[in-house]
Amino acid sequence: MKINHIFTALTLVSFLFILTFPSPVRADQVQTGAKIFSQQCAGCHAKGGNIVRRGKNLKKKALARNGYETTLAISSLVTQGKGIMPAYQDRLTLQEIQAVSEYVIQQAEKNWKS
């Protein structure tokens, strides 16, 4: 049990470091985020929606209302999961979680239009 808490703390510290000293978003990171989203997230969140709970979509207004308007907040949610959304810390690397979180923010800014 303590190891799980230590891992979670280390994961959050890593995210804070990555987000405090971010590197510019490169085209390959955007492509990686899009690919991961397509494979891992689009089943429930196609085009930023939510097939399970309408109000929990990935549109800019809903992200802000639910406290997920930053890459850090989205990364934490993706890592730990919440409610019926599973945690992805065992499925994705920190870099993959960062890439998909940045992709979600970018898409929300564009209202999920290509």
Side-chain angles (χ1 to χ4, degrees):
M1 186 79 148
K2 285 185 179 183
I3 291 174
N4 209 10
H5 291 302
I6 292 170
F7 177 77
T8 300
L10 288 174
T11 300
L12 291 176
V13 168
S14 297
F15 278 131
L16 287 174
F17 181 81
I18 289 168
L19 295 174
T20 302
F21 304 103
S23 58
V25 178
R26 299 182 324 256
D28 62 325
Q29 288 174 311
V30 173
Q31 290 175 342
T32 298
K35 181 179 177 183
I36 293 165
F37 186 87
S38 175
Q39 293 171 343
Q40 302 290 331
C41 312
C44 292
H45 294 288
K47 297 181 184 177
N50 187 326
I51 65 169
V52 180
R53 294 192 65 200
R54 259 192 337 230
K56 301 291 183 172
N57 62 57
L58 304 177
K59 308 292 177 142
K60 187 174 181 176
K61 190 174 179 180
L63 290 174
R65 180 180 61 245
N66 294 311
Y68 295 105
E69 55 195 332
T70 66
T71 305
L72 177 60
I74 294 170
S75 294
S76 179
L77 178 64
V78 172
T79 301
Q80 299 176 350
K82 183 174 180 182
I84 61 172
M85 181 175 158
Y88 285 84
Q89 67 187 11
D90 294 336
R91 301 180 207 184
L92 300 173
T93 67
L94 292 176
Q95 292 78 14
E96 290 171 329
I97 291 171
Q98 178 72 20
V100 77
S101 299
E102 289 174 1
Y103 175 77
V104 167
I105 291 290
Q106 287 180 348
Q107 291 302 105
E109 288 293 328
K110 298 188 307 187
N111 200 27
W112 290 87
K113 293 184 168 83
S114 298

